């Protein structure tokens, strides 16, 4: 018996659903007699050069925050890192100058150029942090500032007519200065890093490391690492963001040996054996800032600038900013933060 029109329709629908088994395309044989090297090079590797040229034209942003009590040499260290006066420090103590009552936040921008590459560097200083008798919650304005930068970026991103290149003011790296006491970390240090390690890349550094002997320094570094671990504080580079085995091996070495970097900063030059070096003069000789036998400044510089700068930016964008963005959109019922709720809308949501 012939199938009715309804059945034939069904069959047709079924045959549409079942994908036809396609034959694999036949791979053509390599033509013989043609020079293989002619077919060899395509030129995919030039993409790196193309990207380099683009970056050279536009430059890139890098925003670094320094946090710690006053007198730990924060400005000097940042100036040493970038070999220029990028962080202002007051010359001499002014009688009129008072310790800020609360944490202030000062951002100073610069353009540094080297080898044709332009870096828009912003140094964010936090004077007043940890300088009061009662330092309770003094990390709050810093967290607020970091989140405000994420918010600013998010607002630009959800604009209908958004800029091709959104100005990036997000904090890519926070250098947290630990006082070289040789004792335990202060509750303030733990409190700050506990709260802030979730929103920003924290790199702990032991400031003014020349005040400790080598044994004290090694011991103090181990103690700080232990305390951070016991308190569940993740500093940069965070274990869970290692992308592959090579990253893990390299970062494990940094986490287990170098962190926290014991550093000495100086923007003064001295002559040592006929060479000009950055250093600090003491009655018994010159501490050379970039000499690894004297301090770990060179390790910190190579880490922040020469090996992990791009990664600091990526972790900020892909992890910290994404976390902020997801939370912000969730709280807002999936709407971008630009949408202003009317009174009625708000009531109907409740």
């Amino acid at each position: 018996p012939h199938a009715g029109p309804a059945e034939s329709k069904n069959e047709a629908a079924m045959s549409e659903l079942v994908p036809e088994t396609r034959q694999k395309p036949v791979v053509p044989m390599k033509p013989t007699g043609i020079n293989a090297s002619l077919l060899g090079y395509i030129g995919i590797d030039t993409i790196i050069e193309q990207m380099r040229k683009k970056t050279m034209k536009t430059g890139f942003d890098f925003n670094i925050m320094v946090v710690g009590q006053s007198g730990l040499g924060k400005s000097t260290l940042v100036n040493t890192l970038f070999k220029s006066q990028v962080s202002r420090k007051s010359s001499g103590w002014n009688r009129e100058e008072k310790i800020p009552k609360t944490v202030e936040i000062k951002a100073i921008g610069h353009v540094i150029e080297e080898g044709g590459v332009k870096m828009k560097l912003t140094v964010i200083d936090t004077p007043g942090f940890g300088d009061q008798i009662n330092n309770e919650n003094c990390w709050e304005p810093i967290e607020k500032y970091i989140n405000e930068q994420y918010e600013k970026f998010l607002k630009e991103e959800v604009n209908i007519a958004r800029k091709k290149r959104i100005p990036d003011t997000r904090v890519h790296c926070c250098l947290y200065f630990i006082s070289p006491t040789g004792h335990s970390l202060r509750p303030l240090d733990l409190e700050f890093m506990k709260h802030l390690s979730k929103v920003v890349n924290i790199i702990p550094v032991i400031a003014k490391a020349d005040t400790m002997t080598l044994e004290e320094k090694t011991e103090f570094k181990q103690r700080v690492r232990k305390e951070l671990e016991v308190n569940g504080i993740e500093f940069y580079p965070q274990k869970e963001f290692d992308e592959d085995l090579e990253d893990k091996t390299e970062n494990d070495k940094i986490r287990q040996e170098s962190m926290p970097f014991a550093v000495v900063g100086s923007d003064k030059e001295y002559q040592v054996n006929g060479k000009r070096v950055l250093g600090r003069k003491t009655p018994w000789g010159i501490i050379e800032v970039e000499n690894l036998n004297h301090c770990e400044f060179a390790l910190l510089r190579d880490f922040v600038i020469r090996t992990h700068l791009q990664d600091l930016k990526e972790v900020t964008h892909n992890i910290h900013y994404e976390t902020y963005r997801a939370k912000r959109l969730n709280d807002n019922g999936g709407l971008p933060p630009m949408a202003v709720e009317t009174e009625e809308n708000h009531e109907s949501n409740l």
Side-chain angles (χ1 to χ4, degrees):
H2 290 293
E7 278 178 57
S8 57
K9 249 188 208 168
N10 280 351
E11 274 171 25
M14 284 292 284
S15 65
E16 271 176 40
L17 287 174
V18 179
E20 287 176 39
T21 49
R22 287 189 189 151
Q23 284 185 318
K24 281 187 180 173
V26 181
V27 179
M29 291 282 287
K30 194 171 179 185
T32 46
I34 292 179
N35 185 352
S37 69
L38 277 178
L39 294 174
Y41 182 67
I42 304 167
I44 299 168
D45 56 357
T46 60
I47 184 74
I48 303 296
E49 185 54 26
Q50 293 168 43
M51 286 157 81
R52 196 181 76 88
K53 276 186 181 161
K54 268 235 149 78
T55 312
M56 298 269 278
K57 270 186 205 160
T58 52
F60 64 95
D61 304 297
F62 186 58
N63 310 317
I64 186 167
M65 179 184 254
V66 286
V67 182
Q69 278 174 296
S70 55
L72 288 179
K74 298 186 296 292
S75 303
T76 310
L77 187 86
V78 174
N79 289 343
T80 320
L81 267 179
F82 297 102
K83 297 216 165 153
S84 52
Q85 298 292 322
V86 289
S87 192
R88 277 189 291 232
K89 63 175 179 191
S90 51
S91 45
W93 182 257
N94 236 332
R95 200 172 276 178
E96 288 77 55
E97 218 179 284
K98 290 187 177 69
I99 293 176
K101 280 280 176 288
T102 54
V103 178
E104 293 173 13
I105 292 179
K106 294 178 177 170
I108 309 162
H110 307 267
V111 173
I112 296 181
E113 196 169 332
E114 188 178 55
V117 179
K118 273 199 212 69
M119 173 163 84
K120 297 183 189 81
L121 171 72
T122 304
V123 178
I124 303 123
D125 199 0
T126 53
F129 175 86
D131 291 342
Q132 309 306 318
I133 292 168
N134 177 8
N135 290 304
E136 212 180 353
N137 298 348
C138 67
W139 45 266
E140 279 179 353
I142 296 171
E143 185 172 35
K144 183 169 173 269
Y145 176 86
I146 291 168
N147 283 330
E148 275 167 3
Q149 308 320 305
Y150 292 147
E151 181 68 18
K152 211 188 269 185
F153 196 89
L154 178 57
K155 282 192 168 158
E156 284 289 351
E157 207 181 44
V158 297
N159 264 343
I160 292 170
R162 60 183 178 183
K163 294 173 184 156
K164 189 176 161 196
R165 203 165 170 270
I166 299 173
D168 191 1
T169 58
R170 297 169 300 181
V171 181
H172 299 125
C173 167
C174 169
L175 290 182
Y176 187 77
F177 285 68
I178 296 164
S179 197
T181 58
H183 301 297
S184 304
L185 287 173
R186 295 171 309 159
L188 172 65
D189 300 329
L190 294 169
E191 196 73 8
F192 177 88
M193 290 192 261
K194 211 172 258 179
H195 282 96
L196 274 286
S197 60
K198 294 178 179 64
V199 294
V200 71
N201 294 320
I202 290 183
I203 297 176
V205 295
I206 297 167
K208 300 204 163 174
D210 51 332
T211 58
M212 296 191 280
T213 66
L214 293 178
E215 291 80 18
E216 285 170 343
K217 190 164 75 177
T218 311
E219 210 174 287
F220 188 44
K221 280 177 66 140
Q222 285 170 349
R223 185 173 293 182
V224 170
R225 276 200 293 273
K226 189 92 196 99
E227 284 191 41
L228 292 175
E229 195 186 317
V230 166
N231 286 280
I233 294 165
E234 280 269 321
F235 48 81
Y236 178 84
Q238 300 91 328
K239 284 186 190 122
E240 67 261 41
F241 309 145
D242 293 343
E243 283 181 17
D244 51 38
L245 197 62
E246 190 190 348
D247 272 9
K248 188 184 180 320
T249 314
E250 189 185 338
N251 289 342
D252 272 346
K253 195 169 186 297
I254 292 161
R255 286 186 283 255
Q256 287 156 19
E257 293 170 26
S258 310
M259 290 281 185
F261 295 96
V263 294
V264 179
S266 169
D267 33 23
K268 291 194 174 64
E269 282 192 349
Y270 295 97
Q271 288 275 9
V272 175
N273 303 332
K275 266 172 44 191
R276 291 162 75 83
V277 297
L278 284 171
R280 281 171 62 81
K281 197 170 187 176
T282 69
W284 50 85
I286 287 167
I287 295 158
E288 297 168 41
V289 166
E290 295 179 82
N291 182 339
L292 280 175
N293 296 324
H294 293 202
C295 88
E296 293 166 0
F297 169 79
L299 287 178
L300 172 70
R301 184 214 36 224
D302 290 358
F303 175 61
V304 172
I305 300 171
R306 299 183 185 181
T307 61
H308 283 66
L309 191 142
Q310 183 56 31
D311 190 60
L312 280 162
K313 286 171 64 85
E314 281 171 18
V315 171
T316 300
H317 182 75
N318 299 331
I319 312 288
H320 298 306
Y321 170 65
E322 275 304 310
T323 308
Y324 178 85
R325 184 177 172 277
K327 185 182 182 305
R328 195 73 180 79
L329 294 181
N330 259 337
D331 293 349
N332 223 9
L335 291 170
M338 299 296 285
V340 179
E341 288 190 338
T342 60
E343 292 286 324
E344 299 148 54
N345 264 355
H346 189 63
E347 279 163 20
S348 66
N349 284 345
L350 295 174

